[in-house]
Amino acid sequence: MQSLPGSTAVASRGATARVVALVPAHNEADRIGAALAALRAQSRRPERITVVADNCTDATAVIARQAGAEVVESSKNRHKKAGALNQALDQVLQGLADHDLVLVQDADTTLVPSFLADAVDAMAEDVGAVGAIFYGEPGGGLLGALQRIEFQRYAREIARRDYRADVLTGTATVFRAATLRQIRQARLDGLIGGGTSYYSLASLTEDDEITKAVRTLGYRTVSPAGCRVLTEVMTTVPKLWHQRMRWQRGALENLRDYGLTKVTAPYIVRQGLMGLSVLALGLYLAFTVWMLARGRPEFAPFWVAVGLVFVAEKVVTARGTGFKSQLLAGTLAVELAYDMFQHAVYLRSLWDMARRREERWCAT
């Protein structure tokens, strides 16, 4: 791992490190107030809160200033969130020591009161960044419930991996200032791609890409149990499709750009397993249709038992989302349709990459 100037005894100095919060926002007038209120309710409050208003045409900047936040408006930015953050970081990092911390948080997200305190405590010397564990906010009907179940299972997976962060989610991540500076220098030196600044301008998913950048520099990335956030869920199928296409396509393109390395190998394996799951589900559905077409469906005790185990697993892993959501998970049929939706996203992303079709970025 590359040495960090001024980073010795980071753990013991975490309490004295300054924390600057950056909240990129594009037309978030309806949500920015709640995000800022949650920041001010932190048990370890940031010394500075800056809303990065990116090409806003609503009252986002006005509401942020009324809430006591500093507002920095992006200038001629054509690179969406990543470009706006790069402009803000150029200003913010000038006044920070290497051991100081930068929180980057989405405007549609609220942090639990202990988030920053737990993130600062987790900043060991070999940790380059601390990411959030995200949960879905209430609402959104059936689609919202399915996303909350999905996020709950992802949180359980993070816990099983001893709270390793495989993606420094854009909902909220705390970086050490020195790590951000090293990322920029690595891009300038040609060690990693994505432009010449902190966040990549070439990636659809800047949070996934910067995770690989941090880990390529030799640092660990973690998501402690206490670093929980509540974030927006998509309320319509078209919005969810666009969001997941961006996530999936961005993840695949980032792997293509980084190539096969020690850092990317586990991600490539997961993408391969996703492909196998698509194939397995397709074969299962084809077999089911074939069996029904014969007019003689067979329900052998062994396969019934396997099905019951599968149902139990779905219900147990949905624990924490509420009784109704667990009942929903137990029906299997709705979740099966949701799985098919995500498999369709995966296949479409592969197809579009093969055709070199451009995917457009959107804020959702």
Side-chain angles (χ1 to χ4, degrees):
M1 181 177 69
Q2 298 182 17
S3 61
L4 278 173
S7 67
T8 57
V10 168
S12 63
R13 295 170 60 180
T16 61
R18 289 176 294 171
V19 179
V20 173
L22 292 182
V23 186
H26 173 69
N27 291 343
E28 295 285 0
D30 293 339
R31 307 184 67 93
I32 191 66
L36 295 176
L39 275 173
R40 297 204 177 280
Q42 292 293 299
S43 58
R44 197 291 185 208
R45 293 178 62 176
E47 279 74 19
R48 180 180 175 188
I49 300 175
T50 301
V51 171
V52 186
D54 180 37
N55 297 317
C56 292
T57 57
D58 65 0
T60 297
V62 174
I63 294 172
R65 290 190 179 97
Q66 290 174 345
E70 174 187 353
V71 175
V72 173
E73 300 194 39
S74 60
S75 175
K76 300 179 181 179
N77 176 41
R78 294 181 297 172
H79 298 285
K80 304 295 182 179
K81 180 180 175 181
L85 281 170
N86 286 341
Q87 289 185 14
L89 285 168
D90 275 337
Q91 300 178 38
V92 167
L93 286 173
Q94 291 180 14
L96 296 182
D98 278 344
H99 66 274
D100 289 334
L101 306 174
V102 178
L103 164 68
V104 178
Q105 175 203 327
D106 281 348
D108 61 4
T109 299
T110 56
L111 281 57
V112 299
S114 63
F115 181 96
L116 271 178
D118 287 333
V120 170
D121 287 344
M123 273 292 182
E125 188 172 355
D126 63 340
V127 173
V130 177
I133 301 176
F134 54 91
Y135 297 86
E137 64 183 10
L142 176 61
L143 202 58
L146 289 168
Q147 290 168 82
R148 285 188 290 275
I149 293 172
E150 178 188 8
F151 295 167
Q152 179 71 30
R153 290 187 179 131
Y154 184 63
R156 291 172 63 90
E157 183 181 343
I158 291 174
R160 285 197 299 269
R161 295 198 301 258
D162 198 25
Y163 297 101
R164 183 183 73 241
D166 286 338
V167 177
L168 295 167
T169 170
T171 55
T173 293
V174 178
F175 297 92
R176 189 177 291 111
T179 306
L180 290 168
R181 291 183 176 119
Q182 285 183 306
I183 290 171
R184 182 175 183 273
Q185 191 59 52
R187 296 197 201 279
L188 288 169
D189 293 341
L191 300 178
I192 55 177
T196 59
S197 196
Y198 314 98
Y199 279 92
S200 170
L201 301 181
S203 176
L204 287 169
T205 48
E206 71 288 327
D207 51 357
D208 176 80
E209 192 281 334
I210 205 168
T211 308
K212 292 175 175 60
V214 171
R215 297 181 73 175
T216 297
L217 291 177
Y219 295 108
R220 289 193 301 125
T221 54
V222 299
S223 292
C227 288
R228 304 186 309 277
V229 303
L230 199 64
T231 194
E232 182 182 21
V233 295
M234 298 296 101
T235 55
T236 68
V237 173
K239 286 183 177 180
L240 183 64
W241 174 266
H242 200 110
Q243 180 197 61
R244 297 311 170 88
M245 279 294 297
R246 184 171 66 86
W247 288 2
Q248 182 62 57
R249 179 76 179 272
L252 290 171
E253 290 184 350
N254 290 337
L255 290 175
R256 178 198 63 193
D257 294 343
Y258 271 78
L260 178 61
T261 68
K262 290 189 296 183
V263 169
T264 61
Y267 295 91
I268 293 172
V269 169
R270 285 193 204 98
Q271 291 295 331
L273 292 175
M274 171 66 83
L276 290 177
S277 71
V278 171
L279 178 62
L281 180 58
L283 291 174
Y284 170 77
L285 293 175
F287 175 76
T288 301
V289 171
W290 174 78
M291 187 175 64
L292 293 174
R294 292 174 61 203
R296 293 183 299 170
E298 300 173 2
F299 298 98
F302 173 77
W303 292 112
V304 171
V306 170
L308 290 175
V309 169
F310 188 61
V311 170
E313 187 271 341
K314 287 285 189 181
V315 172
V316 169
T317 55
R319 187 174 56 192
T321 57
F323 179 67
K324 291 182 179 180
S325 292
Q326 286 187 278
L327 286 178
L328 175 64
T331 64
L332 284 187
V334 176
E335 278 213 278
L336 181 62
Y338 192 61
D339 289 342
M340 292 173 64
F341 172 86
Q342 299 201 73
H343 288 176
V345 168
Y346 177 81
L347 291 173
R348 177 61 184 271
S349 296
L350 289 175
W351 175 249
D352 285 351
M353 280 188 64
R355 296 173 60 201
R356 297 185 180 276
R357 180 176 177 178
E358 182 180 355
E359 175 70 9
R360 293 184 179 180
W361 190 101
C362 82
T364 57

